[in-house]
Amino acid sequence: MELIRFDRRFFPFELQRVADEMVPRAKEALQSIKEKTCQGMEWTGWFDFPRQRGFSMARDIRDFQSRLDVHYDLVLVIGVGGSYLGSRAVAEALTHEYAPLVGRQGRRGSGALVAYAGHHLSEASIVELIDLLERHQPVVNVISKSGTTTEPSVAFRIIRSYMEQRFGKREASRRIIATTDPHKGALGSLAAEHGYHTFIVPPDMGGRYSVLSAVGLVPLALAGFSIEDVLEGAEGVFADLRRDTATLTAHPVTQYAVCRQAAQEAGKRMEIMAFQEPKLGYLVHWWRHLFGESEGKDGRGLYPSGMQFTTDLHSLGQYIQQGPRDLLETFLVFEESRATDSFNVERRVRIPHMTDNADELGYLEGRFVEELNVAAMEATKVAHCDGGVPCLEIRCHRLNERSLGALFAFFQTSCAVSALLQGVNPFDQPGVETYKENFFGLLGKPGFEDLGASLRKRL
Amino acid sequence: MELIRFDRRFFPFELQRVADEMVPRAKEALQSIKEKTCQGMEWTGWFDFPRQRGFSMARDIRDFQSRLDVHYDLVLVIGVGGSYLGSRAVAEALTHEYAPLVGRQGRRGSGALVAYAGHHLSEASIVELIDLLERHQPVVNVISKSGTTTEPSVAFRIIRSYMEQRFGKREASRRIIATTDPHKGALGSLAAEHGYHTFIVPPDMGGRYSVLSAVGLVPLALAGFSIEDVLEGAEGVFADLRRDTATLTAHPVTQYAVCRQAAQEAGKRMEIMAFQEPKLGYLVHWWRHLFGESEGKDGRGLYPSGMQFTTDLHSLGQYIQQGPRDLLETFLVFEESRATDSFNVERRVRIPHMTDNADELGYLEGRFVEELNVAAMEATKVAHCDGGVPCLEIRCHRLNERSLGALFAFFQTSCAVSALLQGVNPFDQPGVETYKENFFGLLGKPGFEDLGASLRKRL
């Protein structure tokens, strides 16, 4: 069975035609990614990464793990944006919702919990994270190419100080693992000085395309997930795409890209990614980052928004059904989303029998709840399509490391093709510096004093 | 100090002028809400609710609590949409991020944890919820006007069955509290039959305007929050609005409504609500429901989207800075968001000193992290304004029950005014039935067989 299937039957015929006309250009774009001749070609290392470097890197990670001589039951990931969203997408999708409470029962492999820092500047969150650390034996994976991005640097100062006080400098150094640029940058220097074990942020991929490198896979390995399955799922997609581009007209990567751009050309302004499991929230955060930062430039780009169904049908369903007709909606459907190879196999839940039928659910007795969830996605797709929203569907069979790996490869490639169709560089982010400079100005960073003074006059 | 301040200095002058021209109409709209003569007037009971019924209802809730003769340490809220988003907004904003783990230290008053069900159809989530319940002594508050909405009904069947098996029918009935229509509806009948204590869903307000009624306040009281403070914060805003409407030109309720509609008239399609604390996520979910369902009709309405800063600046900052110029951005700023009257007072975190300065943060040593967080909001507001995004600011001093109550009253009233300015009924939701009927059809509900058959042909 294919890991990812794509369905455009609820995408209007006139848009399908526009999409079909874009296919030759999409294939050129795909070819240029494969040949590393596209815009931003120096950032396309992710495409061949699993095959050329990924599996050997995974062996290095496993080797490191087998030699790691500290006991740990919590992995703290310090990173922001692409440095944590990918690993968090996998960890949250496949972890018990109440993992801190239920212990090993809700966790895989090593049984370690995963926690996150360095992606915000919330003092309350840092205080509460310390409470969590106090109750565990943590290892820390700090992930930053440069080592000077404000949020992870602030968090790492605080956590490093905490770890050294708690464990002493020597053991703290064994419990800290740095993923960073091996040759330059602050974190690399710190790691060398303190003897932290180091993994490499590959130089030929940006943060939002880096989940399949050490950036995403080191914390997942430490937390007991199968990084080999993630890589195999991804490489399945990449291997498929390596065959003759001419044969790839109907491929999900091509189709998703042309349908999105056809929708944008027809005036759609936003893409809603609808998903049916609460645990997929971070996968969709990762997707928002990937597409928003790759395409949101030159005054263009579909705004990527996530919606959890059926939950959000009870808050934003009205808007989707009858608000402005500038939406594209993509349904991300898992036929088996109970992570069945994980902890909760054999614990299916059926609608129980009740002697009274006051709630009018009698007709559902004995059915599995998951059946209802999948049916709700189908019902909604038809309703929204009939309401004037073009709908696409991305369908996977089972939620696990392999399908998540495949989705990473699928979305990354399709996003790059889609951005190239739109005519922008999929791999840069020229607009992210402005607020950072203002921030340095307001905080009084040396070199930004004049900017700070002029900002304070405006505030 | 005013609980809520509104700032439009970073909203372009030409839009300010359009907004000013709408003020007379906004005042008429506000007056029509106060006098219950507006569109949907039968749903305006929320405006006078705290004063006329709220405080006496709060006493009833406290009285019930004092007579509740079961030990509990977990409150399970079963409800969807407006039945849980409001109470969850307060509970999450004021609860320790790792509450299940840290015990009473991270909780208020009764020290009970709050959990949620009935807002999705995820089988995995239900399985994992049972794991949570097994480790606690739960009480259940099931909230549904009708008692036949699919998600809460499914969850309540499963949980009722669980509670009866675990505690026996008699004790289960003492542990289940129903908030529902007192005169008709399935849940009311069930409650009467089984002797559940019952609170009233007021007949004159819709779900998204009901947080200040028993719908929102019963679970909050059971979990140890000050519902009196929530009501007082809200009533402060309502009392202020009861004075002569002519004097309310500069009032935040008027100003937020006219600025939003001026932005929509100028072609803006989306409002981003930017917030600086992870714990405010559910407050912003509640806001999305309120505005999306009130205004998203007749092909119009700003799409409400939440962004957590600085986190999302590292994923969607690029899009905001350089994507399509159809955004309005509202900054929700708390000057003190550490919930200082709660558990983590006296635990401030400063940037620690480090002998090396590899991370270039030396200039920040000794500063509180919260200072950085507030400065980041300011820096971003200026950057996005300079990039062509009109920016508004809603500013509160301290995050607690009182300010959250005030925000509920502020947003509800401003939303109703804004929807009336847009020319739609703020209180109906005519578009939410389509997918439900399709859903019944696909599941084979009696009476929907023909629809089911025709849908299956299309799928």
Side-chain angles (χ1 to χ4, degrees):
Chain A
M1 181 179 287
E2 294 286 336
L3 283 175
I4 295 169
R5 283 161 291 153
F6 181 80
D7 183 348
R8 62 177 209 182
R9 283 177 304 144
F10 292 86
F11 194 67
F13 182 69
E14 63 276 18
L15 289 184
Q16 290 192 21
R17 219 180 42 213
V18 178
D20 288 341
E21 285 167 10
M22 288 186 187
V23 166
R25 283 177 51 223
K27 287 182 182 171
E28 281 170 35
L30 178 59
Q31 192 65 24
S32 72
I33 295 164
K34 288 156 70 172
E35 293 172 352
K36 302 190 188 304
T37 55
C38 60
Q39 269 197 80
M41 54 190 154
E42 65 276 28
W43 299 102
T44 52
W46 50 270
F47 188 86
D48 287 313
F49 184 85
R51 185 180 56 138
Q52 293 180 348
R53 291 171 276 174
F55 291 103
S56 69
M57 173 203 67
R59 285 189 295 273
D60 290 345
I61 295 173
R62 294 306 189 191
D63 185 51
F64 164 72
Q65 253 185 302
S66 70
R67 291 181 292 106
L68 184 61
D69 60 345
V70 294
H71 167 72
Y72 69 94
D73 58 9
L74 185 144
V75 180
L76 177 65
V77 179
I78 300 181
V80 70
S83 294
Y84 86 106
L85 282 168
S87 61
R88 191 164 190 173
V90 177
E92 304 247 326
L94 304 178
T95 300
H96 198 289
E97 194 167 334
Y98 306 99
L101 193 81
V102 299
R104 295 186 60 90
Q105 178 198 351
R107 308 170 200 168
R108 296 200 175 187
S110 73
L113 196 64
V114 194
Y116 305 87
H119 57 291
H120 58 70
L121 291 167
S122 163
E123 196 172 315
S125 284
I126 294 173
V127 168
E128 292 169 18
L129 178 70
I130 302 283
D131 290 334
L132 181 76
L133 297 181
E134 281 291 293
R135 285 162 176 79
H136 288 86
Q137 298 288 321
V139 290
V140 175
N141 183 197
V142 54
I143 306 165
S144 175
K145 193 164 196 160
S146 68
T148 54
T149 305
T150 305
E151 292 88 340
S153 300
V154 163
F156 187 51
R157 267 207 183 203
I158 294 164
I159 297 300
R160 198 177 128 202
S161 166
Y162 167 82
M163 295 291 283
E164 290 179 358
Q165 276 174 38
R166 176 167 164 190
F167 294 104
K169 286 209 172 200
R170 194 161 158 178
E171 185 174 340
S173 293
R174 290 212 306 277
R175 289 184 177 271
I176 295 173
I177 300 141
T179 306
T180 189
D181 188 306
H183 301 302
K184 53 185 182 191
L187 183 55
S189 316
L190 269 180
E193 188 188 328
H194 295 274
Y196 307 148
H197 190 90
T198 302
F199 290 96
I200 292 173
V201 175
D204 53 355
M205 57 186 79
R208 60 189 182 272
Y209 291 83
S210 71
V211 55
L212 299 167
S213 75
V215 169
L217 299 190
V218 170
L220 289 173
L222 289 168
F225 296 93
S226 171
I227 58 173
E228 294 77 10
D229 279 5
V230 174
L231 283 171
E232 277 173 20
E235 177 54 19
V237 172
F238 290 133
D240 204 31
L241 292 170
R242 270 197 296 272
R243 61 189 162 92
D244 183 6
T245 302
T247 68
L248 296 173
T249 298
H251 195 279
V253 160
T254 316
Q255 284 297 316
Y256 181 50
V258 296
C259 288
R260 296 182 77 258
Q261 289 301 328
Q264 182 164 218
E265 291 217 348
K268 304 302 172 193
R269 308 290 278 262
M270 191 187 326
E271 179 178 7
I272 290 169
M273 182 62 70
F275 57 102
Q276 95 266 38
E277 287 292 324
K279 286 181 184 177
L280 296 174
Y282 268 91
L283 177 64
V284 173
H285 274 302
W286 174 87
W287 168 85
R288 294 182 74 194
H289 177 206
L290 179 66
F291 281 84
E293 204 167 72
S294 297
E295 297 188 338
K297 45 194 78 156
D298 296 351
R300 298 198 66 207
L302 292 166
Y303 178 76
S305 190
M307 283 207 203
Q308 179 188 316
F309 287 171
T310 59
T311 304
D312 290 338
L313 291 171
H314 294 265
S315 60
L316 290 157
Q318 166 65 36
Y319 185 97
I320 304 178
Q321 196 74 45
Q322 300 189 330
R325 300 299 77 187
D326 56 4
L327 310 175
L328 163 68
E329 192 172 12
T330 301
F331 287 77
L332 177 61
V333 180
F334 282 89
E335 288 159 351
E336 289 188 13
S337 50
R338 293 165 293 103
T340 41
D341 52 346
S342 177
F343 46 87
N344 55 18
V345 65
E346 309 296 337
R347 294 185 62 197
R348 303 291 315 261
V349 183
R350 296 175 189 269
I351 311 294
H353 171 70
M354 291 281 164
T355 44
D356 64 75
N357 190 32
D359 58 14
E360 300 170 17
L361 294 181
Y363 74 106
L364 294 174
E365 285 179 7
R367 311 265 293 263
F368 289 118
V369 176
E370 182 157 77
E371 276 182 59
L372 276 59
N373 210 10
V374 173
M377 292 291 270
E378 300 286 321
T380 306
K381 188 172 59 183
V382 179
H384 291 176
C385 173
D386 291 349
V389 177
C391 292
L392 302 171
E393 182 179 283
I394 296 161
R395 185 175 279 256
C396 303
H397 181 53
R398 185 172 287 184
L399 178 59
N400 55 25
E401 285 97 332
R402 194 175 293 263
S403 57
L404 291 168
L407 282 172
F408 289 140
F410 161 75
F411 278 127
Q412 287 178 191
T413 318
S414 202
C415 178
V417 171
S418 177
L420 290 169
L421 280 174
Q422 188 184 301
V424 296
N425 182 339
F427 308 116
D428 65 357
Q429 50 283 331
V432 302
E433 294 307 317
T434 321
Y435 88 90
K436 289 185 189 172
E437 289 169 8
N438 287 356
F439 186 48
F440 293 149
L442 287 179
L443 291 176
K445 184 170 183 169
F448 293 85
E449 294 88 349
D450 291 350
L451 178 60
S454 78
L455 286 170
R456 267 186 293 274
K457 273 184 211 148
R458 295 173 64 190
L459 284 163
Chain B
M1 182 179 287
E2 294 286 336
L3 284 173
I4 296 169
R5 282 161 291 153
F6 181 80
D7 183 347
R8 61 177 210 183
R9 282 177 304 146
F10 292 86
F11 195 66
F13 183 68
E14 62 276 19
L15 289 184
Q16 289 193 21
R17 218 179 43 212
V18 178
D20 287 341
E21 283 167 9
M22 288 185 187
V23 167
R25 283 177 51 224
K27 286 183 184 173
E28 280 170 36
L30 178 59
Q31 191 65 26
S32 73
I33 295 164
K34 287 157 70 173
E35 292 172 352
K36 303 189 187 305
T37 56
C38 60
Q39 269 196 79
M41 54 189 148
E42 65 276 29
W43 298 102
T44 51
W46 49 272
F47 188 85
D48 287 313
F49 184 85
R51 187 180 54 138
Q52 292 180 347
R53 290 171 278 172
F55 291 102
S56 68
M57 173 205 66
R59 284 189 296 274
D60 290 347
I61 295 173
R62 293 306 187 192
D63 184 52
F64 163 73
Q65 252 184 303
S66 68
R67 289 181 294 107
L68 185 61
D69 60 343
V70 294
H71 167 73
Y72 70 93
D73 58 9
L74 185 144
V75 180
L76 178 65
V77 178
I78 301 181
V80 70
S83 295
Y84 85 106
L85 283 168
S87 60
R88 191 164 190 173
V90 176
E92 305 248 326
L94 303 179
T95 299
H96 197 289
E97 193 166 336
Y98 306 98
L101 193 80
V102 298
R104 295 186 60 91
Q105 180 198 350
R107 308 171 200 167
R108 296 200 174 187
S110 74
L113 197 65
V114 194
Y116 304 87
H119 57 289
H120 58 70
L121 291 167
S122 163
E123 196 172 315
S125 283
I126 293 172
V127 168
E128 292 169 17
L129 178 69
I130 302 282
D131 290 335
L132 182 74
L133 297 181
E134 281 291 293
R135 285 162 178 79
H136 288 85
Q137 299 288 321
V139 290
V140 176
N141 182 197
V142 54
I143 305 166
S144 175
K145 193 163 196 161
S146 68
T148 55
T149 304
T150 305
E151 293 88 339
S153 300
V154 163
F156 187 50
R157 266 206 185 204
I158 293 164
I159 297 300
R160 199 177 128 199
S161 166
Y162 168 81
M163 294 291 282
E164 290 178 358
Q165 276 175 39
R166 176 167 164 191
F167 295 103
K169 285 210 175 200
R170 194 161 157 178
E171 186 175 339
S173 293
R174 290 212 306 275
R175 288 184 177 272
I176 295 174
I177 300 141
T179 305
T180 189
D181 188 307
H183 301 302
K184 51 185 185 193
L187 183 55
S189 316
L190 269 180
E193 188 188 329
H194 295 274
Y196 306 148
H197 191 90
T198 303
F199 290 96
I200 292 173
V201 175
D204 53 357
M205 58 186 78
R208 61 189 181 274
Y209 290 84
S210 71
V211 55
L212 298 168
S213 76
V215 169
L217 299 191
V218 170
L220 289 174
L222 289 167
F225 296 94
S226 172
I227 57 173
E228 294 76 11
D229 279 5
V230 174
L231 283 171
E232 277 173 21
E235 177 54 19
V237 172
F238 290 133
D240 204 31
L241 292 170
R242 271 197 296 274
R243 62 189 161 91
D244 182 8
T245 302
T247 68
L248 297 173
T249 298
H251 195 279
V253 161
T254 316
Q255 284 297 317
Y256 182 49
V258 296
C259 289
R260 298 181 77 257
Q261 289 302 327
Q264 183 165 215
E265 291 218 347
K268 304 303 171 191
R269 309 290 278 260
M270 188 186 329
E271 178 178 5
I272 290 169
M273 182 64 68
F275 57 101
Q276 95 265 39
E277 287 293 322
K279 288 182 182 175
L280 296 175
Y282 269 91
L283 177 64
V284 173
H285 274 303
W286 173 87
W287 168 85
R288 293 181 75 194
H289 177 206
L290 178 66
F291 280 84
E293 203 167 73
S294 298
E295 297 189 338
K297 47 194 75 158
D298 296 351
R300 300 198 64 208
L302 292 166
Y303 179 76
S305 190
M307 283 207 201
Q308 179 187 316
F309 288 170
T310 60
T311 304
D312 289 339
L313 291 171
H314 294 265
S315 60
L316 290 158
Q318 167 65 36
Y319 185 96
I320 303 179
Q321 195 75 46
Q322 300 188 331
R325 301 299 76 188
D326 56 3
L327 310 175
L328 164 68
E329 190 172 13
T330 301
F331 288 75
L332 177 61
V333 180
F334 281 90
E335 288 158 352
E336 291 187 13
S337 50
R338 294 165 293 104
T340 39
D341 53 347
S342 177
F343 46 86
N344 56 16
V345 65
E346 309 296 337
R347 293 187 60 198
R348 303 293 313 265
V349 183
R350 296 174 190 268
I351 310 295
H353 171 70
M354 289 283 167
T355 44
D356 63 76
N357 190 32
D359 57 15
E360 301 171 17
L361 294 181
Y363 73 107
L364 294 173
E365 286 179 8
R367 311 265 291 263
F368 288 117
V369 176
E370 181 157 78
E371 275 181 60
L372 276 60
N373 210 11
V374 172
M377 292 292 269
E378 300 286 321
T380 306
K381 187 172 60 182
V382 178
H384 291 175
C385 172
D386 290 349
V389 177
C391 293
L392 302 172
E393 181 180 283
I394 296 162
R395 185 175 278 256
C396 303
H397 181 53
R398 187 173 287 183
L399 177 59
N400 55 25
E401 285 97 332
R402 194 174 294 263
S403 58
L404 291 168
L407 282 171
F408 289 140
F410 161 74
F411 279 127
Q412 287 179 192
T413 318
S414 202
C415 178
V417 170
S418 177
L420 290 170
L421 279 175
Q422 187 183 302
V424 295
N425 182 339
F427 309 117
D428 66 357
Q429 50 283 331
V432 301
E433 293 308 316
T434 320
Y435 89 90
K436 289 185 188 173
E437 288 168 8
N438 287 355
F439 186 48
F440 293 149
L442 287 178
L443 291 175
K445 184 170 182 167
F448 294 85
E449 294 87 349
D450 291 350
L451 177 61
S454 79
L455 285 170
R456 267 185 294 272
K457 274 185 212 150
R458 296 174 63 190
L459 283 163

